[in-house]
Amino acid sequence: MQTKWQEYTRQLMGEERFGRYLKSFEEEPPVSIRLNPKKIEAGQWQMDDAEPVPWCRNAYYLKQRPNFTFDPLFHAGCYYVQEAASMFLDEVLKQVVVSPKLTALDMCAAPGGKSTLLRAALPDDCVLYSNEPIRNRANILLENVTKWGYANHYVTNVYPEVYRKSKHRFDVILCDVPCSGEGMFRKDEATIREWSPQQVEKCWQLQRDIVTDAWACLNDGGLLIYSTCTFNTKENEENIRWMLDLFKDAKVLDINTKPEWRITNSLLEGFHEPVYRFIPGVSWSEGLFVCVLRKGSGPSVPTEQAENSHAGNKRFPRREQSIPTLGTIPLHVDGPQVELSYQQAMAYLRHEALVLPEDTPRGLVNVAFHGFLLGPAKNIGTRANNLYPKEWKIKTTHIPNDYEPILKRL
């Protein structure tokens, strides 16, 4: 591990916390998933030896990490594999976002974990735009958003300044900003090699640029949720202090937590605003920092754009500068639904042709596993042509015959 980073982080965390953090490198990272409440109904499914994530609804720790690639229900959007600390967003939303008909923006959304959580946690009549500036990452985001399957959820591919210039306004903006990634060191050794003081400097400056654009997009009374997956104070507390100095109408909100969650508060001397830091070895998670700020004094009023929004609309209202959304990928077609076996489902996900039952009508059909839609196919009689998006296909060549499913129907 890099000596300069180690010295800084030991001083930041203190000897006891830092010792627990270093010990966590000897342990397997926790594995957690978040169920899709739109698809998985409570009380109808079970998971063996799963424990609830205490700060997130519909989320569970697994005893061991399965190969999710081999689970068709994962590809069907029945659950999302997400690090547990990132799910703290659900507790934040539960406490501070209660109004219907809000518009929300996830400014740096790929690959989509927090976006899918945000969409599931918001009332159905809210509208969410998930943005990712890098095109190949935006395509991954679109795949995950599509599989999650919620209406009023759109993906865009622009830089944050485009949103600011569009004059479009939001009631909730999530800024899970690019960072130096110190909180992921245990999971990804490559991030350790990439760390440097220069990288931290580059990150906090970029983060301030993103936040400045985001703040201009907030309605009066709107909420900015700021998060990183890093530990240092430059990208965390010092950025929050900078926001409070720059945005005179900003106020940090307090989120109620429980002692057993072992969340660490501010580590910056003299800074006592409520912030929330997850440290591996201290909390049962990887690293995360979160702070919630309100713009102005009152609660946000739902915008006209949310009230006038229609599912399927591909552009913002004309009175604002238009920001095109990425084209949707239809997974459902007008036609009957055909249930697949496990081996057939995996063949479909590998983009192979299928042979469907003889009584299957010819033409477009929807194929499913355990009743959950996987995508379309075109039955021509002797076979069914696979219409699953080619860019989504799984590339594994070996499919197990005895794969144990994560979710089991009661």
Side-chain angles (χ1 to χ4, degrees), residues 296-320:
S297 57
S300 181
V301 177
T303 63
E304 177 185 343
Q305 292 154 350
E307 294 173 357
N308 294 337
S309 175
H310 298 282
N313 179 24
K314 293 186 178 181
R315 291 184 179 271
F316 293 109
R318 291 183 179 179
R319 65 185 179 85
E320 308 292 0

Side-chain angles (χ1 to χ4, degrees), residues 272-285:
H272 305 294
E273 296 287 352
V275 298
Y276 308 91
R277 183 186 268 99
F278 291 75
I279 300 174
V282 179
S283 56
W284 198 11
S285 68

